Amino acid sequence: MRSFTCTCGNQLFFDNSICMRCKRDVGWCPCCRAIVDVTTTDDGGFACACCRTLLVKCENYARHNVCNRFVASRKNEGSQSETSQGMFCDCCRFNRIVPDLKVPGNKEKWYRLEAVKRRTIYGLDRVGLPYGTQADGVVPSLIFDFKGDIIPDRRYRQMGPFQKVYTGHDNGVITINIQEADDVEREKLRVNMHEAQRSLLGHFRHEFGHYIWDVLVKGKREADCIALFGDHNNPSYDIALAAYYKDGPKADWLMTYVSAYASSHPWEDFAETFAVYLDMQSSLDTAAHGKLIQPVNPADLDAMVEAYKNLGIALNEMNRTIGLLDFLPEVFADPIHEKLRFIHQLAGISSPNFKTS
Ligand SMILES: [Zn+2]
Ligand SMILES: [Zn+2]
Ligand SMILES: [Zn+2]
Ligand SMILES: [Zn+2]
């Protein structure tokens, strides 16, 4: 991720919705594909200070302040009037269920969920991975359900069973248990599950891995995928996951998988490796923009893996220096390198014709 610059000269960051120096509204301009400051127009709308496109705030920005994206106004095409009502940005338009805002704390959780969703989608755009709805020509349609566990409230004798929400993906629908946006709860789960890292961003990248499998691998490149990740039909997903939770990960998982959980089933291996691929692409982009490393060609997988390993060694030592968890816990053994290559070949950026923005 790069940083951006306000007209006043202040540095702006990807999550900003206001410039801390000049107090102007800032946000994502879909035309500039950047965080920009905006000027207010006579009729209460906005114009990008950079490209002058007329903009309105995404409804989730205007009404709830959980988004920082603008949408191109219909007035750019000559329409006389409009409101931002019902106009959602390219990240919010996939939401089907959002957290119940009557519940204290849910607004803050939703804010964090949207922030990492935007960051994940920025990463997909950067490397040319597809997402969208059937109307966009993408199958299956991407849908987000952000849900909390249903806990009957005994004070009001409310009846009904406890309903647990599982974070996961099913035929285009990505469900996130909003408790994952609670740092205490997530860290408890990380320790209980013996995970090296557990982050909200990691969940989004993992679940998008399942989604991309359905879009680009299912019925298209399954044989190639089986050769690297194993046969997802045998054993079945349910049997494999039950065995994983009963017996634990495969003994030699470190030499073949990016995480213990990846050894549970080929679909989980694909999703875990996909998340690492996006981590790698994003980390090298950020490191190059921060002048920590020389820019690495994002279309050259071998150069990327080499640079990421070296960056990881340096940043792991940095993190250990101040007592944080390792930045890069994965070990890139040869089988993992080849799995990353398969995912890289699915991304548009591996094509010589792909244009980065
Ligand atoms: Zn400013
Ligand atoms: Zn613009
Ligand atoms: Zn939005
Ligand atoms: Zn999964």
Side-chain angles (χ1 to χ4, degrees):
M1 182 59 66
R2 62 196 177 102
S3 61
F4 310 87
T5 309
C6 182
T7 304
C8 77
N10 194 26
Q11 192 175 21
L12 300 175
F13 298 97
F14 189 66
D15 296 327
N16 286 164
S17 54
I18 191 164
C19 171
M20 296 311 287
R21 185 193 282 170
C22 70
K23 306 296 178 197
R24 242 180 287 196
D25 284 349
V26 304
W28 181 261
C29 170
C31 303
C32 296
R33 300 199 54 72
I35 299 294
V36 299
D37 53 303
V38 293
T39 52
T40 313
T41 55
D42 292 342
D43 57 359
F46 300 95
C48 172
C50 186
C51 71
R52 307 310 305 168
T53 301
L54 298 174
L55 302 169
V56 290
K57 287 181 175 179
C58 165
E59 189 164 336
N60 284 344
Y61 185 178
R63 287 186 61 199
H64 303 295
N65 222 13
V66 296
C67 178
N68 69 343
R69 292 205 163 198
F70 289 96
V71 183
S73 161
R74 296 191 187 103
K75 287 185 186 160
N76 293 301
E77 295 137 33
S79 170
Q80 288 305 303
S81 66
E82 71 175 353
T83 66
S84 64
Q85 189 104 34
M87 287 186 74
F88 289 102
C89 72
D90 270 344
C91 294
C92 292
R93 70 186 174 102
F94 305 113
N95 289 352
R96 183 171 67 182
I97 298 174
V98 300
D100 179 355
L101 297 183
K102 293 193 293 297
V103 177
N106 271 8
K107 172 90 175 277
E108 292 71 21
K109 291 188 182 115
W110 189 22
Y111 175 86
R112 287 184 210 142
L113 290 160
E114 292 298 343
V116 297
K117 167 142 68 76
R118 289 194 300 277
R119 200 170 279 267
T120 307
I121 285 178
Y122 176 90
L124 295 175
D125 286 341
R126 208 183 137 260
V127 300
L129 282 161
Y131 58 90
T133 64
Q134 281 196 21
D136 306 318
V138 184
V139 179
S141 287
L142 179 63
I143 292 170
F144 284 98
D145 285 349
F146 297 147
K147 299 197 282 195
D149 296 331
I150 295 176
I151 303 163
D153 188 339
R154 296 216 181 92
R155 285 173 304 171
Y156 303 106
R157 296 177 185 275
Q158 187 183 327
M159 302 301 283
F162 172 83
Q163 281 176 33
K164 174 87 187 141
V165 171
Y166 290 97
T167 292
H169 167 268
D170 183 17
N171 194 30
V173 181
I174 292 178
T175 303
I176 305 278
N177 185 326
I178 62 171
Q179 279 304 103
E180 289 289 345
D182 181 311
D183 293 342
V184 174
E185 293 301 318
R186 195 180 57 255
E187 182 62 9
K188 267 192 218 162
L189 283 169
R190 187 190 72 77
V191 173
N192 288 343
M193 316 270 273
H194 308 288
E195 294 173 345
Q197 289 176 344
R198 187 181 183 95
S199 70
L200 204 48
L201 185 57
H203 281 307
F204 275 82
R205 288 182 174 154
H206 175 104
E207 300 308 337
F208 260 109
H210 290 305
Y211 175 73
I212 292 291
W213 196 93
D214 271 13
V215 175
L216 294 178
V217 179
K218 190 177 183 179
K220 295 173 181 139
R221 300 193 57 180
E222 287 191 36
D224 296 343
C225 192
I226 287 171
L228 286 165
F229 293 86
D231 187 354
H232 48 269
N233 298 309
N234 185 27
S236 73
Y237 184 80
D238 291 347
I239 288 172
L241 266 285
Y244 174 78
Y245 286 116
K246 181 169 163 283
D247 305 329
K250 292 185 179 142
D252 58 345
W253 67 265
L254 203 59
M255 297 314 294
T256 324
Y257 300 96
V258 291
S259 67
Y261 184 59
S263 73
S264 63
H265 184 268
W267 282 339
E268 296 307 334
D269 189 13
F270 182 89
E272 288 284 272
T273 312
F274 181 88
V276 168
Y277 177 76
L278 288 187
D279 286 350
M280 175 177 73
Q281 283 281 9
S282 306
S283 298
L284 292 174
D285 179 44
T286 303
H289 280 293
K291 301 199 167 40
L292 295 175
I293 59 167
Q294 292 293 320
V296 188
N297 178 1
D300 183 344
L301 181 81
D302 295 334
M304 302 266 297
V305 170
E306 191 57 29
Y308 193 42
K309 278 188 207 167
N310 292 331
L311 182 68
I313 291 167
L315 293 184
N316 283 352
E317 284 304 314
M318 285 294 291
N319 279 13
R320 290 168 195 170
T321 302
I322 55 168
L324 293 178
L325 294 172
D326 277 0
F327 168 83
L328 179 58
E330 294 88 12
V331 177
F332 291 84
D334 288 347
I336 295 168
H337 196 128
E338 292 315 304
K339 290 178 197 176
L340 287 168
R341 193 183 309 286
F342 178 77
I343 290 164
H344 182 63
Q345 285 164 354
L346 297 175
I349 205 161
S350 66
S351 149
N353 300 323
F354 184 75
K355 300 263 183 295
T356 48
S357 57

